[in-house]
RNA sequence: GCGAAAGUGGCGGAAUUGGCAGACGCGCUGGACUUAGGAUCCAGUGGCCUCAGCGCCGUGCGGGUUCGAGUCCCGCCUUUCGCACCA
């Protein structure tokens, strides 16, 4: 019988002992760098996590069988908040907690039969790794790409730290969902905006990235072309600069709106008739978050001042508005209510004039707000650009603006600099020292790493424990030797993950960040696999840091990941506790879930819900029971079979059995082959088996390359069924046995343990992994006979079996109803060749 | 609101190019073997009928192109995801 429980540990041990996945990066060969995004070691893995790693392993084994020198390393994104929270809550040191989790996860990878090159393992919380984070910081600092700046920043009151813009979702903390506050603080930033244009342009070169991810990055970078234009404000004797993407609508600008934070606001309102009221309003809006402002609707106040529209020379009122953002553009806009929805809404509310300056090309009247931007719109009532289609109008007006020296064509980005300071303990210390005399001084390279002290108290109150550790904080200034204080903020953990893929090549190098020669040989990563949740954060930061490494001359490429694949999540039916903040009560989920949707001890009704596996939803499937009962191969095959890998997939406990039965059948067939002598006896079904084998080799190969693992496995099931049909009589037939062995090889990436075991029982030396991937013979792939359906007047009139498929089939005449079909009636009798090898053909005759 | 993707049996999902719709698997029905079956094996399984016929209907809804449409075109509906005052 098929006993995965005995087979699997044996092979896992063998693979580990033989170090089959260890790659010599200096050895020659056609390189292939596979990488799964290194995980945060949060603890136990469930079958949902498994998808990602099983996928990568199947692919890795496939490439190895293709003879590629493939590298498949793994490491740990080991700094981060959960470790610190665990320390506060349970009194375990973050390091201890993290190391324990790493051990459990590593063991789980082993039980899944996943092959990683553990000789290259790294963890970002090790000083030997994070010292290079610090080194990188210093390099960026030297180049002006790391700087300290005061800016309104996102503050999470729950986690007591600042957050990057990328970590704020709808005004809430990405991690704990607390409402994020705006605070004016001095922090460390990386100047990612200096790379906005290159990061945007580079997306076009990423042919093998999902469009979705590229679109998300494009939107995040937010490149827009437009113009800066200066409007005179005679009463102040100065100009105010606005930014617009629609300079072609400038003749329709009937007012101007400034953000309440705009630096000229004070001067503009200084002599306002009701100064107190307007200042009160400004204060109120300033204290609102963007979300609150949006909820309030369009609100504004007239400043009492006017600007001059440089093209109409009209006086236009200057307003303040809650919908204008100081962070984008110049913090001032020209109001064109005829052609912008927001301006239109504002104008309607305050009775400002609306002027139409663009209309549809066909001359039909434009209904404001008419926002067409392509050449189906034409400028009207617009002086020098009258009659021009929008794109030309934009071009012409920008030239005129530049000629008159009142502005220029500009490119603006939505992207803002990356705030990397975190007021937390468990992260890379920022290697900077503050001295009253010399101000901020970088830690000299030879003093790296600045080590994180391990013996600090975790109270969970009053912020970062580092700041209270005098031995850490007090130091001397590297420049003047006077007393100084260390920076106690640590780096965002996304810094750690922005370059780890390069460190894997030479992970133990203690003299430099990595070996450029070898990194240039192995990188970029050929196949990167991970969740879509990193579409912006990690992948954008990594692309940015890669460019900085490129500019330092350390790497020869600008894009770190050639191919990207985002696997979908695995969902399961479960329940959600609608009462937030209630402690989770452990319970016997299975019994409880079926019986009553109430949380034990509380009687809080739970809401049925299908979703991602999580403890709070009571729908986590731990792999252990599953593997004990059916084996890791079953989980692997089921996980890949369940759905296309990029799609969300619903886990079904019943469905698992199908994968198990399949493997058990393959096993059972193996027993028949091992107990039968080869006799050269030919079964009637042999021809069919041989053809099926070649078709399957071809199909599975193509499907793996296209990440269609689900249909690759279904094709293997078909081959298995076809071979099964030829048994037991066929067991002695060498050609049937050949097909069976091909099945084992094709199946190996998905179910490595069972295929290894049978391979050995069949008397082969060595592992399937080191054997070759089979090759299909196209000549033997074709069907022996082709079924031709004959239709008359569109009705099926029978079928014709054609042995030894002809080069072409012949249509005598094609008809539709009583009508001849023209395109089919050229020539005399032979009208159209419609035979396609391997396919059913409809021959239409009269 | 804007943008993108997707709608196929009881379920997960198949279907190079427009060419046998529903592969493969789950579930279900019947049978075999069994003291037993939540094991295994065999058969069946889209719906309908005047129920075995060379039958009718059928891929979200309504049209269109075509000898032929799940697939292409037009218009709706629904769902999911992303963005959301970015001027």
């Amino acid at each position: 019988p098929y006993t995965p429980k005995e087979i699997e540990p044996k092979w896992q041990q063998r693979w580990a002992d033989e170090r089959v996945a260890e790659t010599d990066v200096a050895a020659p060969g056609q390189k292939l760098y596979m990488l799964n995004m290194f995980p945060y070691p949060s603890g136990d893995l469930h079958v949902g996590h498994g998808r990602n790693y099983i996928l990568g392993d199947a692919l890795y084994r496939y490439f190895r069988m293709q003879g590629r020198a493939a590298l498949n390393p793994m490491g740990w994104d080991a700094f981060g908040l959960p470790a610190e929270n665990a320390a506060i809550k349970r009194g375990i040191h973050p390091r201890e907690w993290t190391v324990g989790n790493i051990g459990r996860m590593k063991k789980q990878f082993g039980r899944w039969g996943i092959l990683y090159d553990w000789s290259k393992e790294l963890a970002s919380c090790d000083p030997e790794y994070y010292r290079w984070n610090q080194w990188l910081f210093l390099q960026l600092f030297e180049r002006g790409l790391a700087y300290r700046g005061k800016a309104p920043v996102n503050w999470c009151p729950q986690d007591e730290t600042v957050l990057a813009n990328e970590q704020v979702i709808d005004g809430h903390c990405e991690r704990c969902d607390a409402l994020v506050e705006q605070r004016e603080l001095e922090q460390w930033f990386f100047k990612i905006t200096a790379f906005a244009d290159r990061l945007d342009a580079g997306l076009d070169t990423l042919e093998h990235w999902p469009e979705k991810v590229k679109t998300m990055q494009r939107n995040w970078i937010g490149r827009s072309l437009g113009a800066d234009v200066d409007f005179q404000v005679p009463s102040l004797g100065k100009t105010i600069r606005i930014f617009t993407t629609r300079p072609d609508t400038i003749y329709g600008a009937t007012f101007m709106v400034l953000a309440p934070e705009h630096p000229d606001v004070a001067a503009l309102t200084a002599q306002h008739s009701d100064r107190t009221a307007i200042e009160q309003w400004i204060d109120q809006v300033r204290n609102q978050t963007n979300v609150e402002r949006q909820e309030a609707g369009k609100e504004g106040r007239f400043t009492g001042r006017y600007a001059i529209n440089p093209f109409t020379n009209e006086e236009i009122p200057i307003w303040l508005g809650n919908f204008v953002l100081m962070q984008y553009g110049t913090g001032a806009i020209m109001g064109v209510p005829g052609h912008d929805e927001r301006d239109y809404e504002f104008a309607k509310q305050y009775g400002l004039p609306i002027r139409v300056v663009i209309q549809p090309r066909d001359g039909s009247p434009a209904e404001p707000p008419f926002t067409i931007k392509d050449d189906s719109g034409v400028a009207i009532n617009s002086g020098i650009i009258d009659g021009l289609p929008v794109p030309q109008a934009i071009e012409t007006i920008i030239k005129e603006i530049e000629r008159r020296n009142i502005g220029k064509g500009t490119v603006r980005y939505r992207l803002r600099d990356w705030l990397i300071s975190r007021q937390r303990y468990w992260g890379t210390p920022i290697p900077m020292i503050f001295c009253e005399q010399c101000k901020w001084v970088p830690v000299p390279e030879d003093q790296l790493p600045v080590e994180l002290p391990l013996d600090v108290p975790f109270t969970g109150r009053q912020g970062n424990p580092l700041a209270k550790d005098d031995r850490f904080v007090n130091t001397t200034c590297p420049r003047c030797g006077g007393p100084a204080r260390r920076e106690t903020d640590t780096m965002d953990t996304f810094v750690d993950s922005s370059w780890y893929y390069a460190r894997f090549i030479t992970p133990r190098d203690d003299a430099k960040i990595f070996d450029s020669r070898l990194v240039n040989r192995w990188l970029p990563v050929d196949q990167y696999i991970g969740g879509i949740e990193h579409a912006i954060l990690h992948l954008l930061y990594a692309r940015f840091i890669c460019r900085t490494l490129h500019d330092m001359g350390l790497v020869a490429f600008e894009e770190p990941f050639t191919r990207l694949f985002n696997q979908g999540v695995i969902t399961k039916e479960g329940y959600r506790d609608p009462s937030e903040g209630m402690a989770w009560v452990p319970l016997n989920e299975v019994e409880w879930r079926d019986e009553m949707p109430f949380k034990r001890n509380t009687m809080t009704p739970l809401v049925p819900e299908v979703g991602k596996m999580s403890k709070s939803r009571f729908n986590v499937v731990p792999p252990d029971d599953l593997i004990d009962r059916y084996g890791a191969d079953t989980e692997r095959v089921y996980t890949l079979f369940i759905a296309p890998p990029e799609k969300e997939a619903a886990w079904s406990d019943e469905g698992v059995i199908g994968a198990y039965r399949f493997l058990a059948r393959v096993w059972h067939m193996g027993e028949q082959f091992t107990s039968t002598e080869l006799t050269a006896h030919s079964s009637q079904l042999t021809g069919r088996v041989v053809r099926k084998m070649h078709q399957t080799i071809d199909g599975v190969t193509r499907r793996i390359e296209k990440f269609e693992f689900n249909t690759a496995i279904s094709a293997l099931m078909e081959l298995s069924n076809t071979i099964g049909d030829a048994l037991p009589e066929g067991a002695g037939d060498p050609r049937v046995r050949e097909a069976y062995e091909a099945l084992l090889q094709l199946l190996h990436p998905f179910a490595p343990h069972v295929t290894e075991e049978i391979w050995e029982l069949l008397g082969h030396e060595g592992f399937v992994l080191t054997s070759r991937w089979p090759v299909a013979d196209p000549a033997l792939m074709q069907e022996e006979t082709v079924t031709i359906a004959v239709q008359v007047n569109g009705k099926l009139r029978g079928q014709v079996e054609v042995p030894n498929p002809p080069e072409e089939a012949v249509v005598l005449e094609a008809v539709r109803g009583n009508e001849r079909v023209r395109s089919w009636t050229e020539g005399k009798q032979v009208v159209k060749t419609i035979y396609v090898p391997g396919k059913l053909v409809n021959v239409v005759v009269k």
Side-chain angles (χ1 to χ4, degrees):
Chain A
Y2 173 44
T3 51
K5 231 176 163 168
E6 287 163 29
I7 298 169
E8 295 182 352
K10 169 185 155 189
W11 287 100
Q12 285 160 12
Q13 193 59 51
R14 287 258 291 266
W15 295 328
D17 292 346
E18 307 269 339
R19 299 164 178 255
V20 291
E22 284 189 22
T23 308
D24 176 1
V25 290
Q30 193 193 0
K31 75 93 182 180
L32 192 133
Y33 188 0
M34 297 254 331
L35 190 61
N36 275 94
M37 291 179 186
F38 72 160
Y40 180 76
S42 55
D44 296 314
L45 294 164
H46 56 65
V47 296
H49 298 118
R51 192 182 202 188
N52 176 21
Y53 304 107
I54 290 167
L55 195 78
D57 188 63
L59 205 61
Y60 169 71
R61 288 174 182 267
Y62 164 74
F63 285 126
R64 283 289 299 274
M65 291 178 77
Q66 296 271 30
R68 307 286 295 270
L71 172 66
N72 195 27
M74 181 46 68
W76 312 97
D77 188 10
F79 270 140
L81 211 42
E84 209 170 328
N85 290 340
I88 293 163
K89 209 158 135 192
R90 293 189 251 159
I92 313 170
H93 192 276
R95 179 165 188 92
E96 201 186 320
W97 185 83
T98 304
V99 167
N101 286 346
I102 287 175
R104 291 218 299 284
M105 286 170 69
K106 210 169 159 177
K107 196 171 158 205
Q108 183 61 57
F109 287 144
R111 286 205 82 190
W112 276 325
I114 289 166
L115 298 181
Y116 288 125
D117 182 348
W118 289 114
S119 72
K120 302 192 174 50
E121 180 179 6
L122 57 81
S124 57
C125 64
D126 288 338
E128 64 167 26
Y129 182 86
Y130 70 68
R131 73 177 285 185
W132 300 109
N133 265 348
Q134 295 171 341
W135 180 86
L136 184 65
F137 180 96
L138 297 177
Q139 298 301 310
L140 296 180
F141 181 76
E142 240 173 62
R143 288 165 174 75
L145 294 172
Y147 67 93
R148 194 166 170 88
K150 189 166 185 175
V153 298
N154 310 299
W155 174 264
C156 173
Q158 177 76 35
D159 293 339
E160 296 186 333
T161 183
V162 297
L163 300 170
N165 295 322
E166 288 82 354
Q167 288 164 318
V168 181
I169 313 292
D170 292 337
H172 292 258
C173 173
E174 172 202 47
R175 181 167 293 286
C176 69
D177 212 35
L179 189 66
V180 170
E181 301 165 5
Q182 293 293 310
R183 291 195 181 178
E184 188 87 5
L185 292 171
E186 226 187 70
Q187 302 281 315
W188 292 101
F189 290 87
F190 281 173
K191 207 169 186 173
I192 191 170
T193 52
F195 292 79
D197 51 345
R198 284 162 70 187
L199 288 168
D200 185 70
L203 291 169
D204 295 332
T205 69
L206 296 171
E207 280 174 63
H208 303 291
W209 275 40
E211 279 307 321
K212 188 181 175 181
V213 174
K214 289 192 276 186
T215 305
M216 283 169 73
Q217 290 215 359
R218 255 183 220 113
N219 291 341
W220 187 262
I221 296 166
R223 181 178 197 269
S224 9
L225 268 159
D228 284 359
V229 190
D230 295 329
F231 281 53
Q232 290 285 346
V233 184
S235 60
L236 283 188
K238 66 174 291 187
T239 61
I240 292 178
R241 171 161 282 206
I242 60 99
F243 172 69
T244 178
T245 55
R246 292 296 302 273
D248 58 309
T249 62
I250 196 162
Y251 286 90
T254 53
F255 55 96
M256 178 188 272
V257 192
L258 309 189
E261 295 86 354
H262 194 281
D264 290 330
V265 167
L268 285 167
T269 56
Q271 284 151 41
H272 194 271
S273 56
D274 195 355
R275 211 172 131 192
T276 339
I278 200 165
E279 280 175 357
Q280 207 177 349
W281 179 83
I282 292 167
D283 267 358
Q284 183 203 321
V285 177
R286 280 185 165 199
N287 288 327
Q288 285 174 334
T289 63
N290 279 352
V291 179
E292 286 167 336
R293 292 185 197 189
Q294 201 164 336
E295 276 165 5
K298 300 271 179 301
E299 272 185 25
R301 291 292 185 274
F302 178 43
T303 60
R305 306 264 186 180
Y306 293 85
I308 308 294
N309 180 323
F311 283 83
T312 61
N313 293 320
E314 289 168 340
E315 282 199 329
I316 58 172
I318 303 175
W319 284 67
L320 307 180
N322 65 347
F323 67 103
V324 177
L325 306 174
M326 194 58 223
Q327 304 93 317
Y328 185 75
T330 60
I333 61 154
M334 63 179 196
V336 185
H339 306 285
D340 182 282
E341 284 174 31
R342 296 153 300 185
D343 298 350
Y344 177 78
E345 213 183 303
F346 192 75
K348 276 281 174 192
Q349 178 138 351
Y350 294 104
L352 297 162
I354 297 167
R355 185 177 302 158
V356 172
V357 293
I358 306 284
Q359 70 177 15
R361 156 164 259 170
D362 62 20
S364 59
E367 180 68 30
F370 178 75
T371 57
I372 295 299
K373 205 185 172 177
D374 57 36
D375 59 11
S376 62
V378 178
I380 54 165
N381 306 324
S382 291
I384 60 163
I385 52 170
D386 246 359
L388 290 178
V390 170
Q392 284 95 307
I394 291 176
E395 202 178 309
T396 309
I397 202 89
I398 288 177
K399 271 188 197 148
E400 178 62 13
I401 287 165
E402 288 175 352
R403 193 191 64 76
R404 288 170 53 186
N405 209 19
I406 54 167
K408 59 180 192 310
T410 41
V411 181
R412 296 263 178 194
Y413 297 92
R414 201 186 85 120
L415 187 68
R416 282 182 267 157
D417 278 339
W418 176 13
L419 168 57
I420 61 134
S421 305
R422 295 292 179 276
Q423 289 71 46
R424 302 297 307 204
Y425 164 77
W426 193 233
T428 304
I430 294 173
M432 295 297 290
I433 292 168
F434 186 77
C435 161
E436 288 298 338
Q437 299 301 313
C438 315
K439 306 301 167 195
W440 285 103
V441 181
V443 174
E445 264 184 49
D446 59 13
Q447 287 176 27
L448 298 184
V450 175
E451 281 204 49
L452 199 58
L454 293 178
D455 52 344
V456 296
F458 296 97
T459 60
R461 288 289 124 226
Q462 288 95 44
N464 188 349
L466 263 190
K468 282 170 282 174
D469 184 347
D470 292 341
R471 288 161 305 166
F472 177 80
V473 173
N474 295 324
T475 186
T476 51
C477 172
R479 192 163 292 159
C480 69
R485 297 172 60 82
R486 282 190 193 282
E487 171 63 88
T488 59
D489 284 357
T490 54
M491 292 184 208
D492 182 0
T493 58
F494 281 105
V495 176
D496 314 355
S497 54
S498 64
W499 63 279
Y500 76 106
Y501 45 89
R503 181 72 182 171
F504 273 130
I505 307 300
T506 51
R508 311 277 169 261
D509 195 331
D510 59 6
K512 51 188 179 301
I513 185 165
F514 48 71
D515 183 315
S516 289
R517 195 182 54 86
L518 289 172
V519 164
N520 283 331
R521 166 159 143 64
W522 282 90
L523 273 72
V525 173
D526 294 275
Q527 181 65 63
Y528 200 34
I529 300 173
I532 186 78
E533 67 272 18
H534 292 111
I536 293 176
L537 292 154
H538 162 57
L539 290 168
L540 187 64
Y541 296 145
R543 296 180 62 229
F544 156 57
I545 292 297
C546 186
R547 281 167 170 75
T548 67
L549 296 170
H550 172 269
D551 292 358
M552 292 176 210
L554 292 173
V555 302
F557 47 89
E558 294 204 8
E559 290 293 345
F561 315 116
T562 306
R563 281 170 190 269
L564 173 69
F565 185 82
N566 302 116
Q567 82 281 359
V569 298
I570 289 191
T571 62
K572 194 171 190 303
E573 72 281 11
Y575 287 96
R576 187 169 51 81
D577 181 354
S579 59
E580 275 182 307
M582 196 174 276
W584 175 61
V585 186
L587 39 73
N588 180 341
E589 307 96 297
V590 180
E591 254 187 27
W592 160 83
R593 200 196 304 132
D594 293 346
E595 299 307 319
M596 53 173 185
F598 287 94
K599 189 192 260 185
R600 183 178 289 177
N601 301 339
T602 67
M603 295 305 280
T604 306
L606 294 152
V607 186
E609 184 179 74
V610 173
K612 199 170 168 176
M613 288 184 187
S614 85
K615 276 185 193 168
S616 62
R617 217 178 255 124
F618 311 104
N619 64 349
V620 173
V621 179
D624 281 336
D625 293 353
L626 191 71
I627 291 176
D628 286 344
R629 192 158 169 199
Y630 297 112
D633 284 337
T634 294
E635 187 191 335
R636 290 172 62 111
V637 167
Y638 176 67
T639 297
L640 295 171
F641 181 66
I642 185 170
E646 71 280 6
K647 273 191 67 172
E648 186 176 294
W651 185 270
S652 139
D653 291 326
E654 300 81 49
V656 174
I657 194 77
Y660 176 77
R661 283 184 193 143
F662 166 55
L663 295 177
R665 272 197 297 270
V666 171
W667 174 266
H668 180 66
M669 284 193 275
E671 287 179 324
Q672 295 184 57
F673 283 106
T674 52
S675 61
T676 309
E677 296 283 309
L678 287 181
T679 59
H681 158 84
S682 215
S683 135
Q684 279 188 338
L685 293 160
T686 302
R688 216 183 126 213
V689 171
V690 171
R691 274 193 305 283
K692 191 72 182 178
M693 174 185 83
H694 288 284
Q695 286 165 356
T696 308
I697 294 169
D698 181 61
V700 171
T701 309
R702 280 213 313 264
R703 285 164 172 171
I704 289 178
E705 300 272 351
K706 292 194 293 187
F707 275 75
E708 293 171 3
F709 296 98
N710 55 328
T711 51
I713 288 172
S714 75
L716 292 173
M717 288 173 171
E718 285 184 53
L719 175 60
S720 157
N721 292 343
T722 305
I723 294 171
D725 290 345
L727 296 180
E729 317 84 59
D733 185 329
R735 287 177 299 169
V736 176
R737 172 144 167 184
E738 187 196 346
Y740 178 73
E741 292 191 356
L743 170 64
L744 291 179
Q745 286 169 287
L746 297 173
L747 183 56
H748 178 264
F750 311 119
H753 310 84
V754 65
T755 49
E756 291 269 31
E757 181 73 13
I758 306 173
W759 195 249
E760 194 179 60
L761 291 175
L762 288 174
H764 290 290
E765 295 214 7
F767 306 150
V768 177
L769 185 61
T770 55
S771 86
R772 300 299 299 264
W773 187 254
V775 177
D777 181 349
L780 294 173
M781 282 166 56
Q782 295 181 13
E783 291 290 345
E784 203 166 49
T785 59
V786 173
T787 308
I788 295 179
V790 180
Q791 295 180 350
V792 177
N793 290 350
K795 300 226 169 190
L796 193 69
R797 280 289 172 265
Q799 298 192 332
V800 185
E801 296 280 328
V802 183
N804 300 320
E807 285 295 308
E808 51 183 45
V810 165
V811 175
L812 299 176
E813 203 166 0
V815 291
R816 173 175 45 167
N818 290 326
E819 230 179 312
R820 280 187 186 173
V821 181
R822 288 177 308 272
S823 59
W824 289 48
T825 54
E826 42 191 77
K828 292 175 201 163
Q829 290 217 310
V830 178
V831 182
K832 181 121 180 161
T833 306
I834 56 167
Y835 174 70
V836 185
K839 211 181 251 181
L840 181 133
V841 181
N842 291 327
V843 181
V844 184
V845 297
K846 185 169 185 182

